[in-house]
Amino acid sequence: MARMTIFNTLEPEAFESPPVFNSAERKHFFTLPLPLADLMESLRTPTNKACFLVAAGYFKARRQFFARPFRPTDIEFVARQIGVNPGEVRQEAYGKETYARHQRWILSHFGCCPFDEAAKVFTTHEIATRVRVQFRPKLVLLEIIQVLARKKIALPSYNVLATLIVAGVSHHQHTLSQIIDDCLSESQRGRLDELLEKEPGATDADEGWRYRLTLLKKPYPSTQPSRIKANLADLDALQTRYLELKPVVERLGLGYEGIRYYAYAVIKAQITQIARRADEARYLHLIAFVVYQTFKLNDTLIDTLLISVQAAVNTAEKAHQEAYYQERGQRTQSFAALADRLGQSVRETLSAIGRIVADPQLGDSEKVALINAALAAQDGQPNPVERQVDEFKLNLAAVHQGRDSYALLEEQSLKLQHRVADIVRQVRFAPNCGKPALGKALLHYQDQSGTLDKSAPVAFLSAEQRAALAGPDGKFRVSLYKALLYVEVADAIKSSALNLVHSEKYRSLDDYLIREADWEAHRDEYLQRARLEGFADCRATLKGLGQALDTRYQETNQRFKAGDNPFLTVRASGTFHVSTPKREEVECLSLGAFFPERKYISLLEMLATVDHATEFLSEFEHWQPKYQRARPPKKILFAGIIGYGCDIGHRKLAQISKQIDENALDNAVNWYFSLQNVQGGNDRILQFVDRMDLPNLYWRKPAPLHTSSDGQKFEVAVDSLNANYSFKYLGKDKGVSVVTFIDMRELMWHSTVISAAEREAAYVIDGLMYNDVVKSDIHSTDTHGYSEVIFAATHLLGFQFAPRIKGLGRQRLYAFKNRKHYAEQGQGLLPDRYIRETLIEEQWDEILRFIATIRLKVATASQLFRRLNSYSRQHPLYQALKEFGKIPKTLFILKYVDDPALRQAIEKQLNKVEGSNKFAKAISFGHNQEFIQSEKEDQEVAEGCRRLIKNAIVCWNYLYLSRELDAEKNEERRAELIEAIRNGSVVAWRHFNLHGEFDFSDERMVDSVGLMVPEN
C-alpha cells in the first residue's frame, strides 16, 4: 500500500467500486451491441448471462473490471432485461475462471488491452513524464487514468497505480536531490541559507518579520511609489540569486507547477519548519522559492507599470476632454463677440454709405468721393475685428494640431516617472522585440539609466509625436519623451510585441504553445490526442463550412420569404431586426411555498448536511500530501469556508464565534485552503447532484446541455493589482469582475476573478475546458463574453457558442461567395464581406497548434489570449483566428434569427446566471460585499468558497425537494410540486439563515471595553 496520500480516504473505495448508475445511465450502459449480445446468448446459466452483461456495462462506462459482488440493483435490472428471474442469478456461483474468460471477451470486443507487463512499463514512463511537471500526485493519477483510457488499456486497481506513482515521485525526488548535491556550490548554499537568517538590526520583538525570507514572501500589490521601490529592491535581491542559480535550475528541469509546489511550501511554512529540512530538500525548496518569487515580482512590476501608464493616459485624456469643452465655450463666446463686432462695423459703414447715396444734393462724382473717404477712414482706424479673427484662427489651429493633449500628458510625466521609471530600467525584457525601433529606444533608456537628452532614439514615435517633442523654445521635452516611451512600452507588452525574460504572465506567445519542434515531429499524434483530426486538412474544413454557409443562407431566407419567420425584419439598408417572442407562462404554485416557512436553516447545518451526503470536505487536503496528517475538525473547515465565502474574514469569524480557535483556523486556512482544494469541493457536490434524478426536470436528456456565463462586479477593499476602475458599475472605486458559469440545472460549475477592466471573452474557454463534471454542449454569454476569436476557438474545440449579441442587426455577415450570388437567388439576408481564405490557410497549422495547446491543457486559454488579444491586431495568428471565427459567427447569426426557440433558450439560460449573481450578493454580506484579499489567487479562493456555499444550498434544496416528492402520496399534490420545480428555481435562499445568530444573553449587555460615560 502506498504511503503517500493520493486519493482521500473515500476515493480508493469509490475507485474500486462499480459505478452508481441512475435509471437513464443504467439503460444506456447495459444495452449491449449485437456481437456482445450474441456472446451473452451463448452462455448457459442465468447467472453467467446476467453477470457477463453487468461486467460489460461496467467496463463500457469505466474501462475497468471490478471485484464481485456486483450491485444488486444492476443485477436485477439486467435480469429483467434479458427475461430472467433475478432470484435465479447467484453471484457466488459466478466463478473466477468464468469471470476471467468473460473479461477477455469484453476486452477483445472493445479493442482494449489488459494491464499486463507491457502496459505497466508504458504507465511507468507516462508517470515519470508527468511527475517532472506536475507535483500534485492526485492530478498525476487522474491524468494517467485518462491516458490509459485513451490507449485502450484496462485500468488496474488503485493500489497498483498509487504504488507506481509513489515510486515515480520518489525516484524523481531522489534525482532532484542528486542534482542539488552534485551541482550546488558551497557559496550558492550559503547564499540560500542567508534567506533563513535574521535581518541586520532585527530584535526579538520583530517576530517573523525579522527574517529575510519572510520579507520576500509577499510582494506589495500597490502603485504607491514607496511600495514599488520595495518591490524593486526585493527583485534585485532575488533576481541576483536566480541568475546565480540558473544553471542549477536548468539542470533540475522543473516545470511551472513543480516550482510553484515547492515555492508555496516555503511561503506557507514558518522559518523553523524550513530550516529543519534535510539539506537537499531545503535547498530544493529555497531554489524554487527564488525562481517563483523572481517571476512573480517581475509580473507584479509589469502589472504596476500597465496600471500606472493607463491611469496617466486616462487622466490626460480626461483633462484634455474637459479643456476641450471649456475652450469650446470660450470659442463660442469669442465667435459671438466677433460676429457682433463685425456686424456693428459693417452696419456703421453701410449706414454712412446709404446716407451718402440718398442725399439728393450730391452729384455722382461727389457721392463716389465721399464713399471712398468713408471706407478710407474705416481702414485707417485700429481694427479690433481683424485682431479677433487672428486670435480665433490661432486657437483653432492649436486645437487641430493637438498640442494641448501632449502638454497634458507631459504634466502627468513626473508622477508617472516616480512609479515606472525604475521598473523600465530594471526589468529584463526579451531582446527580440517585435517593434525594433522601440527595442532600440528601450535599450538606450536602460543603458543611460533613464537619464536622457535630445540624442534619445525617436524612430518609434509618430511624426506628430516627434514634432511635439520640440518645445516653443526649441528645447527637447524630456518629460514628454519619457511619458510617450512608457506608453509605447505598455502597448507593446499588451500586444506581445515586447516580452519579459523572467516572467510567467508576460512571456512570448510561443513560449506557452506546444514546442514547435515537438509539434512538427509529432503533429499527427497531437491532433489525435486533441481530437482535431477532422480539421487536419484546411481546404477540406473550409469547403465543408462553405457548404454549411450556403445551406444556412438558403434555409433562413426561404423561411423568411415564405412568411414563416414573422419576427425578422430586413431593412432597405441591408441591416435587420429580430424580436424574441415571450415564452408562455405556466400557471403553477411558487416553488418557495414548498420550502420550510417557519424554520431557518443555518449555514453550518446546511454545510454539514451536504458534506454528510457528498463528503466534499474530503477534497480539502494538506498542501504537502506526502505523509498522513491529523486533519482539522470539520467545524474548523466549515468556519474557513464561511469566513472566505461570506467575506467576513477567517480571523474575524474566529473572534466572533464560539468553539473556534483562531490559531487552529489560521493554520487550516494556510495549509488546506488552496484553489485546487476548493474547486475539488465544488466538483464533489456537482458530481453528487449530477447523479440525482430530480435535476433532470431542467435538462431532458439526451438534449444538449445548455450553459451560460456572466460577469459581476465587486469592489476590492484593499490595494490590489487585480482591481481596476469600472465607472459604470463601481463609480470611482476599483474592483474586480467575478465570471460565473452555470448550467440548466443551476449548478455553478466554474468561476474566476478578473480585473474589472478586462473583457470576459478570454475566460469563457477556461470555464468550458477546465471542468470534468459539467460538459457543456451549448454555451451562452452576453456581448462582453463574445468575440470572433472565441467563435473560432469554440468551434474547433467542439462547443456550440450561442451569445446574446447587442446590436445584432448591425453585425456583418460573411460568405465564401460574393453577395451577387445570393442576391440572384432572391435572398433577403445577404453577406457583407468575403471570407479571406488565404489568410486562414497560411496560418492553419499555427491555429491547430494553438487549439491543441488549449485542448491538452499545456496552457490555459486565458494565458494564450492574454498574449494574443485585440492589441495584437497585426499578429498573423490573431488575424487568421478572427477571420476563421467569422464563419461560425455567421452560421450562428443565421440560425439565431431563424429559430425563436433558440433565442428563448438563450434568454432563459442567461436569466439563470443573472439569478446566480443576485445569489452571490446575498451570500457575500460581510465587509459591504467587498473582497478583502489583495492577491488574485486569494480572491479566487474566496470566490471558490462563495460558490461552494451556493452549490451546497442548491444541493440541499434538491435533497429537500426529493424527500418531499418521495414522501408525498397524493398524486395531485405531487404533480403540483413537480410542475413548481420545473417552472421555478432551486436557487432559493430565503429559508436559510445566512447572517448567523445573535446572542441576547445578559452577559452580552455588559461593557467589555470599559468606556467612560462623560458627565453632563
Side-chain angles (χ1 to χ4, degrees):
M1 179 69 179
R3 185 181 180 190
M4 181 185 294
T5 303
I6 298 180
F7 272 167
N8 60 45
T9 54
L10 299 171
E11 287 175 319
E13 182 181 351
F15 182 85
E16 302 287 8
S17 301
V20 179
F21 293 142
N22 58 31
S23 56
E25 291 169 336
R26 194 171 286 117
K27 184 176 180 181
H28 170 71
F29 288 113
F30 292 140
T31 301
L32 295 185
L34 190 61
L36 280 182
D38 290 343
L39 277 174
M40 183 200 66
E41 290 296 335
S42 70
L43 302 175
R44 290 179 298 173
T45 68
T47 296
N48 285 354
K49 288 182 177 182
C51 290
F52 173 80
L53 184 53
V54 169
Y58 286 163
F59 188 83
K60 181 180 177 182
R62 293 260 293 269
R63 289 295 188 265
Q64 188 176 0
F65 294 111
F66 300 93
R68 293 149 297 161
F70 300 144
R71 298 194 184 278
T73 51
D74 296 332
I75 291 290
E76 182 177 350
F77 175 85
V78 164
R80 296 191 185 283
Q81 190 178 32
I82 61 177
V84 170
N85 183 350
E88 296 180 17
V89 179
R90 296 182 298 109
Q91 293 198 55
E92 66 275 10
Y94 189 48
K96 186 177 180 180
E97 291 183 2
T98 302
Y99 189 22
R101 184 172 65 256
H102 290 180
Q103 288 180 15
R104 290 193 293 273
W105 290 354
I106 293 167
L107 286 170
S108 175
H109 171 78
F110 286 104
C112 295
C113 303
F115 192 84
D116 53 17
E117 193 60 34
K120 185 177 179 180
V121 171
F122 168 78
T123 305
T124 301
H125 172 74
E126 291 295 313
I127 288 171
T129 301
R130 278 157 180 77
V131 297
R132 286 197 292 269
V133 296
Q134 174 55 261
F135 272 71
R136 306 297 291 181
K138 184 174 180 178
L139 294 183
V140 173
L141 177 54
L142 294 175
E143 286 188 18
I144 290 300
I145 290 171
Q146 292 179 356
V147 169
L148 293 176
R150 191 166 58 244
K151 289 292 183 179
K152 293 191 173 184
I153 299 173
L155 294 179
S157 69
Y158 165 75
N159 279 344
V160 169
L161 290 177
T163 301
L164 290 175
I165 289 171
V166 170
V169 171
S170 298
H171 180 267
H172 184 57
Q173 289 180 336
H174 175 75
T175 302
L176 295 177
S177 297
Q178 193 63 49
I179 292 171
I180 294 288
D181 192 49
D182 293 343
C183 300
L184 200 63
S185 68
E186 287 301 320
S187 64
Q188 290 171 331
R189 293 169 191 246
R191 290 275 285 163
L192 289 171
D193 284 333
E194 285 175 6
L195 296 173
L196 304 177
E197 296 174 359
K198 296 178 181 179
E199 277 289 291
T203 64
D204 291 340
D206 293 329
E207 297 181 356
W209 292 99
R210 63 181 180 264
Y211 292 99
R212 292 180 178 179
L213 183 66
T214 309
L215 295 170
L216 296 171
K217 284 186 177 182
K218 290 282 186 181
Y220 290 109
S222 172
T223 56
Q224 295 179 15
S226 60
R227 300 298 197 190
I228 297 171
K229 190 171 292 186
N231 283 343
L232 285 164
D234 289 348
L235 177 63
D236 185 56
L238 284 166
Q239 194 158 270
T240 301
R241 285 179 170 85
Y242 168 67
L243 293 174
E244 188 180 325
L245 293 165
K246 194 171 182 182
V248 182
V249 173
E250 291 174 348
R251 279 290 308 276
L252 290 170
L254 291 171
Y256 175 75
E257 285 299 323
I259 290 171
R260 182 176 177 273
Y261 170 77
Y262 287 122
Y264 259 71
V266 173
I267 292 169
K268 291 175 178 292
Q270 297 177 0
I271 297 296
T272 53
Q273 292 174 313
I274 302 168
R276 284 199 301 263
R277 291 183 180 274
D279 286 354
E280 284 76 14
R282 182 174 74 252
Y283 293 134
L284 177 60
H285 279 76
L286 290 173
I287 288 170
F289 172 81
V290 168
V291 176
Y292 182 81
Q293 290 299 95
T294 298
F295 282 35
K296 185 172 183 178
L297 272 165
N298 273 289
D299 290 340
T300 298
L301 290 166
I302 293 301
D303 287 341
T304 303
L305 181 146
L306 296 178
I307 290 172
S308 299
V309 168
Q310 192 61 55
V313 170
N314 289 346
T315 301
E317 287 179 350
K318 183 179 179 182
H320 185 242
Q321 190 179 48
E322 291 174 351
Y324 171 81
Y325 287 121
Q326 183 179 359
E327 290 170 0
R328 187 172 70 175
Q330 293 173 353
R331 285 194 299 273
T332 301
Q333 293 177 0
S334 176
F335 187 78
L338 175 62
D340 289 344
R341 193 176 294 274
L342 185 62
Q344 181 181 354
S345 174
V346 170
R347 282 196 303 270
E348 289 176 355
T349 304
L350 290 176
S351 179
I353 293 172
R355 288 195 299 272
I356 295 170
V357 171
D359 191 341
Q361 298 179 358
L362 297 174
D364 291 345
S365 58
E366 291 176 306
K367 289 179 181 181
V368 171
L370 288 172
I371 289 171
N372 287 331
L375 293 172
Q378 186 70 24
D379 291 339
Q381 296 175 1
N383 194 337
V385 174
E386 292 180 358
R387 286 199 304 273
Q388 279 192 306
V389 169
D390 292 340
E391 290 174 6
F392 190 78
K393 287 180 179 179
L394 288 173
N395 288 336
L396 197 61
V399 171
H400 283 304
Q401 289 173 2
R403 292 185 178 274
D404 288 349
S405 62
Y406 294 121
L408 292 168
L409 181 60
E410 188 176 29
E411 289 176 6
Q412 298 297 315
S413 181
L414 189 59
K415 181 179 178 181
L416 187 57
Q417 288 177 55
H418 287 158
R419 286 164 172 76
V420 307
D422 288 337
I423 296 176
V424 176
R425 182 179 58 81
Q426 193 167 328
V427 166
R428 296 193 173 208
F429 294 100
N432 55 337
C433 180
K435 298 180 177 180
L438 176 62
K440 182 179 178 182
L442 189 54
L443 188 63
H444 177 83
Y445 180 94
Q446 292 180 330
D447 288 344
Q448 301 300 317
S449 298
T451 305
L452 304 176
D453 56 25
K454 62 182 180 181
S455 65
V458 296
F460 67 96
L461 297 173
S462 68
E464 182 184 313
Q465 290 171 330
R466 290 197 295 269
L469 289 175
D473 55 359
K475 290 185 177 180
F476 186 72
R477 299 166 71 179
V478 176
S479 289
L480 176 59
Y481 177 86
K482 289 184 177 180
L484 293 171
L485 175 65
Y486 301 151
V487 170
E488 290 296 320
V489 166
D491 286 346
I493 291 171
K494 287 188 282 189
S495 68
S496 195
L498 181 62
N499 305 297
L500 270 67
V501 176
H502 309 132
S503 168
E504 179 56 28
K505 287 174 63 176
Y506 297 106
R507 304 199 308 270
S508 70
L509 174 65
D510 204 58
D511 283 351
Y512 298 96
L513 298 175
I514 295 168
R515 289 180 55 211
E516 189 172 7
D518 290 344
W519 174 259
E520 291 176 355
H522 308 287
R523 181 179 184 271
D524 291 343
E525 181 183 347
Y526 276 121
L527 290 176
Q528 185 265 330
R529 286 175 55 197
R531 303 196 294 277
L532 293 172
E533 311 101 301
F535 299 107
D537 187 330
C538 179
R539 289 185 180 274
T541 300
L542 294 181
K543 181 179 179 182
L545 287 170
Q547 292 169 349
L549 273 175
D550 285 346
T551 302
R552 191 71 255 179
Y553 270 112
Q554 186 176 10
E555 290 178 356
T556 301
N557 280 296
Q558 281 180 350
R559 279 180 37 81
F560 175 63
K561 286 174 63 179
D564 296 332
N565 188 356
F567 307 105
L568 175 63
T569 304
V570 179
R571 305 185 185 100
S573 63
T575 61
F576 58 88
H577 173 76
V578 64
S579 60
T580 302
K582 288 186 177 181
R583 301 175 70 93
E584 291 185 13
E585 293 187 9
V586 178
E587 290 188 11
C588 62
L589 293 175
S590 168
L591 184 57
F594 293 92
F595 288 119
E597 293 183 7
R598 302 292 297 172
K599 179 176 174 61
Y600 293 96
I601 312 301
S602 71
L603 278 184
L604 179 59
E605 177 188 339
M606 180 275 300
L607 288 171
T609 301
V610 173
D611 178 61
H612 180 73
T614 67
E615 296 286 352
F616 70 80
L617 281 186
S618 63
E619 295 290 335
F620 284 71
E621 300 173 345
H622 195 281
W623 180 259
Q624 293 185 296
K626 184 173 181 179
Y627 302 108
Q628 296 282 356
R629 290 175 172 81
R631 288 175 57 81
K634 286 188 175 183
K635 63 182 178 183
I636 293 290
L637 296 176
F638 289 141
I641 291 168
I642 294 172
Y644 262 127
C646 298
D647 290 327
I648 300 171
H650 65 274
R651 291 189 175 90
K652 179 180 178 181
L653 186 72
Q655 293 172 18
I656 63 176
S657 303
K658 295 179 180 179
Q659 300 185 18
I660 294 294
D661 180 75
E662 184 174 349
N663 290 331
L665 180 55
D666 195 53
N667 184 68
V669 166
N670 181 50
W671 288 107
Y672 288 86
F673 277 69
S674 68
L675 181 57
Q676 178 187 342
N677 286 351
V678 175
Q679 289 173 340
N682 273 287
D683 286 351
R684 182 61 72 90
I685 296 173
L686 298 178
Q687 287 166 353
F688 178 83
V689 179
D690 186 56
R691 293 195 298 268
M692 296 178 71
D693 289 326
L694 186 59
N696 291 327
L697 287 175
Y698 299 108
W699 175 32
R700 298 177 181 176
K701 299 178 182 178
L705 179 62
H706 200 152
T707 62
S708 57
S709 60
D710 188 32
Q712 181 181 20
K713 302 294 189 293
F714 285 88
E715 291 182 19
V716 178
V718 295
D719 281 342
S720 173
L721 295 177
N722 195 40
N724 215 317
Y725 294 104
S726 177
F727 183 78
K728 179 180 178 181
Y729 298 99
L730 303 172
K732 295 182 178 180
D733 295 315
K734 286 185 176 182
V736 294
S737 182
V738 175
V739 185
T740 302
F741 293 71
I742 191 170
D743 76 354
M744 300 164 79
R745 301 162 296 179
E746 297 184 294
L747 302 183
M748 286 147 278
W749 44 279
H750 182 74
S751 59
T752 188
V753 183
I754 64 176
S755 167
E758 286 187 270
R759 284 199 69 190
E760 299 156 17
Y763 297 87
V764 168
I765 294 173
D766 281 358
L768 293 172
M769 291 296 302
Y770 285 79
N771 185 274
D772 295 323
V773 182
V774 176
K775 297 297 185 182
S776 175
D777 297 306
I778 306 173
H779 188 75
S780 294
T781 69
D782 62 12
T783 300
H784 291 288
Y786 119 88
S787 70
E788 285 162 340
V789 171
I790 299 302
F791 263 110
T794 50
H795 178 83
L796 293 169
L797 289 167
F799 301 106
Q800 184 180 339
F801 190 39
R804 179 176 60 191
I805 303 174
K806 186 177 180 181
L808 183 77
R810 296 189 297 274
Q811 292 290 321
R812 288 176 175 169
L813 300 177
Y814 295 85
F816 291 88
K817 298 173 183 175
N818 60 32
R819 185 182 180 92
K820 184 179 178 182
H821 168 81
Y822 297 97
E824 288 174 349
Q825 297 177 6
Q827 297 185 11
L829 280 173
L830 302 173
D832 302 289
R833 294 284 191 278
Y834 279 113
I835 295 295
R836 295 176 290 177
E837 296 178 64
T838 305
L839 196 63
I840 299 170
E841 289 172 357
E842 289 174 351
Q843 290 293 313
W844 190 246
D845 208 50
E846 283 298 283
I847 289 175
L848 293 179
R849 182 161 72 114
F850 183 91
I851 300 299
T853 299
I854 296 172
R855 170 76 78 184
L856 300 177
K857 301 182 181 180
V858 176
T860 66
S862 57
Q863 281 179 315
L864 299 183
F865 286 123
R866 190 184 297 126
R867 307 309 291 144
L868 190 74
N869 50 46
S870 58
Y871 290 94
S872 315
R873 290 187 180 92
Q874 302 307 313
H875 197 293
L877 177 57
Y878 179 84
Q879 290 179 330
L881 275 168
K882 185 173 182 180
E883 193 68 20
F884 182 78
K886 293 171 181 176
I887 306 170
K889 174 188 166 185
T890 300
L891 285 167
F892 164 71
I893 291 175
L894 291 171
K895 180 174 176 56
Y896 181 88
V897 301
D898 189 44
D899 189 349
L902 173 62
R903 299 198 296 275
Q904 289 174 333
I906 291 171
E907 291 290 337
K908 182 179 180 180
Q909 189 57 36
L910 287 174
N911 287 340
K912 287 183 184 291
V913 75
E914 288 167 6
S916 77
N917 288 343
K918 295 178 183 177
F919 194 11
K921 286 290 187 181
I923 300 297
S924 176
F925 62 85
H927 214 283
N928 197 30
Q929 299 177 328
E930 298 172 330
F931 277 99
I932 54 178
Q933 299 81 20
S934 58
E935 294 283 344
K936 175 179 169 64
E937 183 160 340
D938 293 334
Q939 293 168 358
E940 297 264 19
V941 170
E943 164 53 27
C945 288
R946 182 189 299 133
R947 181 163 61 91
L948 192 151
I949 293 171
K950 292 192 291 183
N951 279 322
I953 287 176
V954 168
C955 180
W956 191 98
N957 287 342
Y958 274 127
L959 288 169
Y960 181 85
L961 293 171
S962 296
R963 191 199 68 175
E964 292 296 292
L965 270 174
D966 291 341
E968 185 57 64
K969 303 304 181 186
N970 185 308
E971 287 300 322
E972 184 177 345
R973 180 71 174 170
R974 181 181 171 85
E976 287 179 344
L977 177 53
I978 290 175
E979 200 63 23
I981 295 170
R982 182 178 285 117
N983 294 283
S985 171
V986 289
V987 175
W989 61 92
R990 290 184 179 178
H991 49 291
F992 290 99
N993 175 13
L994 302 178
H995 299 159
E997 299 175 354
F998 294 90
D999 186 353
F1000 290 99
S1001 59
D1002 291 343
E1003 54 265 30
R1004 287 298 181 185
M1005 292 189 286
V1006 177
D1007 178 13
S1008 64
V1009 180
L1011 296 176
M1012 298 296 293
V1013 180
E1015 297 180 1
N1016 292 330

